[in-house]
Amino acid sequence: MEYVFRQTLQGALEKVFIEQSTHAYYGNIPRHDDFALMTEPRRYVPLPDDWVVGVADIVGSTHEISRGRYKVVNLVGAAVISAQLNAAQKQALPYVFGGDGAGFAVWPTQRVAAERALDDVRRWARQEYGIELRVATVTVGEIRAAGADVRVARYAPSHGVDYAMFAGGGLAWAEAQMKLGALKLAEGVSSGDAPDLTGLSCRWSNVKTQRGAIVSLVVAPQPGVPEDEFAKIARSLVAAASGGEREAHPVPRHGPSVQFPPPGMTLEARVRQRGSYVLRLAGLFVSNALIWAVMKSGLRIGAFDPKLYRAEVAQNADYRKFDDGLKMTLDCDPESQAVLEGILREARKAGSIRYGIHAQAEAMMTCIVQSPMDAAHMHFVDGAAGGYALAARNLRAQAA
């Protein structure tokens, strides 16, 4: 039955591709609500050769973290995704948030708009926050010619939202080539307009650990390690994390807490580009005061139920992902953390993986919310004191 299903799925996707390589290809990939299935290579579907991969990475993110600006780093990383979704007019596309950067893929006719949006975010990050953003694009065919691949799956943590998972090494290859300077998107490919970052926000308070530590984990296969071998290790890590309370979910079941003024209000004022900064900040002050009052009261306002919305935030949280490797931000007790680290040490000793881990006291979220009335609001979770960026730095140091 499984074989028949896979053949039928692949045939349907190939038919879509033959007719026209559009966003419909990704739209037809099935969604899975069990994260454990994302450890299985057979769940991933190859993207067409003419699709375009985009990658972005903040230059000197470790320095920004040392300055206490990791919330800015996360906001800029999420801005890459927000700009792509708005440039695609909300059509579904695969993307992944990496803390200090992001990756995505678009269909061929979307390439021009995607590159303009990338250039806009690069210029905006420089002007508003003094952050340099590397950006690059490359076709899937070019990635395959270099010996890597781009395959995707869709994980749906709730009915309202799903996140892309990537396999094949293509995104990692593109990012590495970008950092070497071999891939780069030229400056000035856009018209110079401000990026459309509608929906991007960072209003929630940080979430304190309830079990011991917020652990950010980045795991990648060693070069040449068979995919099935890495998948086996990933399954053991996911199973170890899933054995604890709520699968070590870092966001409380009832959602994160709110405070007024929110910690990201001044940052969000720079996301909005209409009017002066002072007027934008004043408008956010008033709107956030109203939001805070509604959230604290818990009273339903028309069709908006604040208790339901906060619960949806927890359900929709993007705290586990595959990005040519495994990334997780977990709320771990000491015993669970020890189990995870034991698996990692053994796998590294066997020559199968590289990994980085970073523990901190809090997690934070950066969000994309088109409408509070729509259940498809997205919440990217990272450690609040370096998270994925410092875990990745530790991975690189370990590899060296």
Side-chain angles (χ1 to χ4, degrees):
M1 179 64 74
E2 175 66 24
Y3 175 78
V4 172
F5 168 77
R6 289 172 60 194
Q7 292 295 102
T8 302
L9 170 62
Q10 189 62 38
L13 291 172
E14 288 175 355
K15 183 175 186 295
V16 171
F17 177 44
I18 291 170
E19 290 175 352
Q20 53 179 341
S21 184
T22 71
H23 67 278
Y25 187 91
Y26 181 68
N28 279 281
I29 295 175
R31 308 192 319 165
H32 302 283
D33 61 4
D34 182 356
F35 187 76
L37 296 179
M38 299 296 95
T39 66
E40 301 176 3
R42 61 194 173 89
R43 303 289 176 179
Y44 291 75
V45 176
L47 287 180
D49 278 352
D50 59 355
W51 273 52
V52 178
V53 166
V55 286
D57 172 74
I58 290 174
V59 179
S61 58
T62 302
H63 175 64
E64 298 297 336
I65 293 166
S66 70
R67 297 174 60 197
R69 298 222 301 167
Y70 199 47
K71 196 169 186 68
V72 179
V73 168
N74 265 215
L75 184 68
V76 171
V80 173
I81 296 170
S82 176
Q84 291 303 320
L85 290 171
N86 288 322
Q89 299 179 339
K90 312 299 185 297
Q91 295 180 97
L93 57 90
Y95 58 81
V96 64
F97 171 74
D100 60 351
F104 63 90
V106 295
W107 49 100
T109 57
Q110 184 62 18
R111 180 170 191 165
V112 172
E115 290 182 338
R116 286 174 177 169
L118 264 182
D119 192 34
D120 286 339
V121 171
R122 173 171 53 187
R123 186 179 57 257
W124 165 80
R126 182 184 298 150
Q127 292 174 348
E128 294 294 338
Y129 304 112
I131 281 181
E132 288 297 321
L133 192 65
R134 300 185 189 95
V135 296
T137 57
V138 60
T139 67
V140 172
E142 290 170 316
I143 290 173
R144 289 192 176 120
D149 200 1
V150 184
R151 306 197 317 278
V152 297
R154 299 176 71 178
Y155 168 59
S158 74
H159 178 70
V161 68
D162 67 88
Y163 296 103
M165 307 285 124
F166 287 85
L171 256 66
W173 178 88
E175 183 179 345
Q177 292 300 304
M178 177 180 66
K179 289 181 177 179
L180 290 171
L183 288 178
K184 183 178 181 181
L185 180 65
E187 298 265 0
V189 299
S190 70
S191 61
D193 295 334
D196 183 357
L197 302 177
T198 303
L200 181 63
S201 69
C202 51
R203 300 177 184 181
W204 295 107
S205 301
N206 286 353
V207 181
K208 297 183 184 298
T209 177
Q210 301 297 307
R211 305 180 184 103
I214 299 295
V215 176
S216 295
L217 179 66
V218 178
V219 190
Q222 288 283 16
V225 168
E227 195 171 53
D228 287 341
E229 181 178 332
F230 180 75
K232 183 178 179 180
I233 297 165
R235 276 194 295 273
S236 65
L237 290 166
V238 171
S242 300
E245 183 182 350
R246 294 186 61 235
E247 300 184 317
H249 200 311
V251 182
R253 193 184 305 276
H254 55 75
S257 62
V258 292
Q259 68 181 67
F260 181 77
M265 190 172 71
T266 56
L267 299 180
E268 193 172 334
R270 297 186 179 277
V271 170
R272 306 186 180 194
Q273 297 295 302
R274 292 185 180 180
S276 69
Y277 174 75
V278 173
L279 288 177
R280 282 180 264 154
L281 190 59
L284 280 172
F285 187 89
V286 173
S287 64
N288 278 289
L290 294 172
I291 292 170
W292 175 83
V294 171
M295 289 295 183
K296 293 297 284 187
S297 71
L299 296 176
R300 189 173 185 137
I301 307 297
F304 179 70
D305 184 341
K307 292 181 180 179
L308 174 61
Y309 181 81
R310 288 175 64 177
E312 288 177 344
V313 170
Q315 292 171 1
N316 293 3
D318 173 39
Y319 73 100
R320 301 177 296 182
K321 67 197 78 185
F322 280 90
D323 176 12
D324 287 337
L326 176 62
K327 293 180 179 177
M328 298 191 288
T329 291
L330 307 169
D331 190 356
C332 290
D333 57 49
E335 293 77 13
S336 298
Q337 185 175 342
V339 170
L340 289 169
E341 291 182 349
I343 296 170
L344 292 166
R345 284 193 299 269
E346 286 300 314
R348 178 176 181 265
K349 184 178 178 181
S352 300
I353 65 164
R354 298 161 288 159
Y355 74 90
I357 191 168
H358 182 68
Q360 55 248 285
E362 298 179 340
M364 66 180 175
M365 291 196 304
T366 307
C367 312
I368 299 178
V369 181
Q370 299 298 337
S371 168
M373 308 307 296
D374 186 348
H377 41 95
M378 294 161 280
H379 307 276
F380 305 115
V381 181
D382 197 359
Y388 289 134
L390 291 188
R393 183 196 66 178
N394 295 338
L395 179 151
R396 291 190 295 270
Q398 186 185 85

